[in-house]
Amino acid sequence: MSFLESCKKVSQKIIEILHQKDNTLFEKIDKGFGGDVSMKIDLIAEELFIREFSKSGNIFSEEIGFIDKGLDYTYIIDPIDGSFNISNGFPYYGSSVALQNRKGEIEKSFIINLATGDYFYKDKINRIENNLFYNKIQTSSLNEMILFEKAYANVDLCQKLAENSIKYRSPGALALSLALAHRCKAVIFKGEIRDFDISAGIYFNNHLNIKIENNTILVAKDKDDFKELERILF
């Protein structure tokens, strides 16, 4: 089974579990490798991805850390992106997987919004946006949205953006926001930068203007927008 089909298969299983209306899925277990408190659904989703991919590559996942199989490829996995959203019924949460070769290069990536079924896939040849359940038709939009992930922890940057009359939204799932960067004016993040949060999303939109420096990420489609935000943020 191809990387894409495997990711879709696991995603569908996670969605089926989420629709069981089992509140114990949101029970807090312990801190995972990445430092965040894990919920039961985080561990269930991670186990599904590990079962699917551990025979063909090493695993580097947010909850369990690195599983060294001595293989040439590593799957970098965020089993549930946006745990706070998922436990509070806010439909902006997902999973992301990046396939990294021995040289540290990303060769394939997959990000999905588990609430909607929208997924984003890229390899060396293909770049696909679609939906698990129907053929997705893209609707037109103004692309004026700026997504500022972890805004709540960066009051100084919020103030700078306010002083420049720049509006933004902070939906709370970094991998998803990075996957949507091509549809937005920009995506901003400041905080601890972890491979399982950004690898898949950055690879999917690596044709855009990107700067990662001093624990800050800026991604923008338009060069003028990028330069304006770069002046404010860095």
Side-chain angles (χ1 to χ4, degrees), residues 101-187:
N101 63 25
R102 187 175 285 276
K103 296 178 181 178
E105 303 164 333
I106 304 299
E107 293 191 2
K108 298 178 182 179
S109 71
F110 176 88
I111 311 101
I112 184 166
N113 185 333
L114 295 166
T116 64
D118 290 345
Y119 68 82
F120 308 84
Y121 168 78
K122 184 178 178 182
D123 58 28
K124 293 180 179 179
I125 300 171
N126 305 291
R127 187 172 179 277
I128 299 169
E129 294 180 61
N130 213 324
N131 189 282
L132 278 184
F133 309 111
Y134 59 88
N135 288 324
K136 189 169 182 65
I137 299 173
Q138 298 297 337
T139 55
S140 59
S141 64
L142 296 176
N143 297 319
E144 293 178 341
M145 184 76 75
I146 292 177
L147 302 179
F148 183 5
E149 291 291 355
K150 214 163 185 177
Y152 64 88
N154 293 283
V155 177
D156 56 335
L157 292 187
C158 294
Q159 181 63 34
K160 288 181 181 179
L161 293 171
E163 289 169 357
N164 287 271
S165 301
I166 294 175
K167 294 182 179 180
Y168 58 85
R169 298 293 182 268
S170 187
L174 179 56
L176 276 181
S177 292
L178 290 171
L180 288 167
H182 62 292
R183 297 194 203 163
C184 303
K185 185 174 182 178
V187 174

Side-chain angles (χ1 to χ4, degrees), residues 213-224:
E213 187 178 296
N214 298 328
N215 290 325
T216 304
I217 299 173
L218 170 62
V219 184
K221 180 166 54 178
D222 182 81
K223 185 166 282 190
D224 290 336

Side-chain angles (χ1 to χ4, degrees), residues 217-232:
I217 299 173
L218 170 62
V219 184
K221 180 166 54 178
D222 182 81
K223 185 166 282 190
D224 290 336
D225 291 336
F226 179 83
K227 287 181 177 178
E228 179 189 12
L229 290 166
E230 182 182 32
R231 174 184 59 80
I232 295 168

